[in-house]
Amino acid sequence: MRITFCCTDTAAEPWLQGLRAALPNAEVTLWSAGAPVADYAVVWAPPQQFFDEQSQLKAVFNIGAGVDALLKLQLPPNAQIVRLDDAGMSVQMAEYVCHAVIRHFREFDAYEADTRQGKWSFRKPRARADFPVGIMGLGVLGARVARALGTFEFSVKGWSRSPKTVDGVQCFSGAQGFQDFLAASRVLVCLLPLTADTRDIMNRDTLSQLQPGGYVINVARGAHLVDEDLLALLDSGHLAGATLDVFRTEPLPADHPFWQHPSITVTPHTSARTLRSESIAQIAGKIAALQRGEPVAGVVEAGRGY
Ligand code: NDP
Ligand code: OXD
């Protein structure tokens, strides 16, 4: 069995060593143009040339949860795409989102500004009930984030494509549930995959439907958010702020207004990082299962885009 590795912006050697150790009977090599065809691929943002040459792939393992970049390419006809299924990402995402929600709700950024000026001052405690948190996307990451926020007793709402039941979460689904979901939320967290249906989903119209003083946390993909609409609603005062981890262009261009905006917190696409050893263990387990002819979790349905 041959495995080829083609991951942009990733140090290859530790991955190759880890995959070789986990799958000792496999020949694991770093892809270069003209390399022999392989059975399985481990990829992140590969070039089209990779798939043009690797015509015999049975499965393509994406070392991330989001497969939007991969679905833009032409894959070999029999290759299924398998995404990372948590692999240590959901707990990181829960940390990130809880941190952003709590920092905003408890006004810790304002306290920090005060204490930096030597001010010992108190703010009136805000009512938790006034900060319902709506999570768009109740998949592997969204459901974990919802549970984590619930432990801090926030009122948590969730929205998904198909109807869902998540303990302690008021669930909405589909186009018919969207407006009620937005109207019930003050803090909005985006954990949707980027698809034709979800591109630009956070725009002037939808963000205006959040409760006054709304707050946006985008940890999914930059193209979910219409940047100018967020800025306009911050200027108008309908929105109070945003924490953004993902952007239409990454790295975020130096002259982008998000960098300097006083109500926007920017982080460099780091909310949930791919963890190498967890990911290798998961990929190796799935390759072994596929070799035995067994089904695996995390297979992407190209038709629905995630
Ligand atoms: P999943 O595929 O497990 O879950 C996706 C969720 O979104 C599901 O609940 C799905 O609904 C819902 N959904 C999809 N399309 C729609 C739609 N049109 N309307 C309403 N709901 C919809 O994905 P993950 O939770 O694993 O990851 C989500 C995204 O997070 C990834 O696609 C990736 O882009 C991003 N990500 C970002 C990272 C970062 O570092 N910033 C790290 C990892 C991921 P249903 O349940 O009905 O299918
Ligand atoms: C992912 C990501 O999709 O890192 O895993 O954004």
Side-chain angles (χ1 to χ4, degrees):
M1 168 187 32
R2 226 182 242 146
I3 301 173
T4 180
F5 182 88
C6 180
C7 294
T8 311
D9 296 333
T10 308
E13 202 45 45
W15 281 87
L16 295 171
Q17 283 174 15
L19 286 163
R20 286 176 190 137
L23 293 162
N25 296 326
E27 186 189 323
V28 184
T29 51
L30 179 61
W31 179 77
S32 60
V37 290
D39 306 289
Y40 299 102
V42 177
V43 305
W44 183 255
Q48 179 60 51
Q49 186 189 357
F50 173 77
F51 290 122
D52 293 343
E53 293 186 8
Q54 291 293 321
S55 55
Q56 303 303 313
L57 292 172
K58 296 179 200 151
V60 176
F61 290 88
N62 190 50
I63 62 164
V67 293
D68 43 293
L70 211 46
L71 289 175
K72 286 188 199 142
L73 302 175
Q74 196 73 40
L75 267 69
N78 297 324
Q80 53 185 350
I81 298 176
V82 187
R83 47 157 292 182
L84 277 185
D85 208 2
D86 192 337
M89 279 191 279
S90 72
V91 65
Q92 297 177 69
M93 197 54 98
E95 286 166 350
Y96 183 100
V97 174
C98 287
H99 176 267
V101 171
I102 292 167
R103 179 167 173 257
H104 174 61
F105 167 61
R106 295 286 307 273
E107 301 183 271
F108 286 139
D109 44 355
Y111 275 111
E112 190 178 330
D114 283 355
T115 54
R116 282 194 188 286
Q117 292 175 41
K119 276 198 216 154
W120 182 275
S121 59
F122 292 104
R123 284 159 197 273
K124 188 166 172 285
R126 295 158 133 188
R128 198 173 304 267
D130 291 342
F131 286 80
V133 184
I135 303 172
M136 296 195 289
L138 284 177
V140 175
L141 302 181
R144 178 66 182 261
V145 167
R147 284 202 304 276
L149 284 165
T151 65
F152 293 105
E153 299 177 17
F154 285 101
S155 166
V156 183
K157 325 286 172 191
W159 182 65
S160 53
R161 202 168 65 108
S162 55
K164 289 247 152 1
T165 311
V166 181
D167 263 2
V169 179
Q170 187 184 0
C171 293
F172 301 80
S173 63
Q176 70 291 355
F178 194 38
Q179 297 199 339
D180 289 344
F181 162 80
L182 291 170
S185 305
R186 176 160 175 184
V187 179
L188 184 69
V189 179
C190 182
L191 269 168
L192 292 166
L194 182 63
T195 67
D197 290 337
T198 66
R199 181 175 293 274
D200 297 333
I201 194 163
M202 288 182 285
N203 55 48
R204 188 186 286 265
D205 172 41
T206 55
L207 295 177
S208 300
Q209 295 177 53
L210 293 176
Q211 295 176 4
Y215 194 87
V216 173
I217 300 173
N218 189 14
V219 276
R221 287 292 182 264
H224 285 124
L225 174 69
V226 180
D227 296 1
E228 312 74 59
D229 291 359
L230 173 73
L231 291 167
L233 288 166
L234 288 169
D235 285 351
S236 78
H238 182 69
L239 295 179
T243 292
L244 307 175
D245 185 50
V246 287
F247 305 92
R248 284 181 181 259
T249 305
E250 294 183 2
L252 184 63
D255 59 353
H256 197 288
F258 287 171
W259 281 114
Q260 302 303 335
H261 198 289
S263 308
I264 295 179
T265 299
V266 166
T267 57
H269 198 143
T270 196
S271 51
R273 304 286 292 270
T274 294
L275 302 178
R276 193 171 56 236
S277 50
E278 282 86 340
S279 305
I280 289 173
Q282 185 174 108
I283 292 168
K286 289 184 182 183
I287 290 178
L290 290 174
Q291 285 292 94
R292 293 192 299 270
E294 293 167 9
V296 295
V299 175
V300 171
E301 284 180 38
R304 68 176 195 178
Y306 66 101

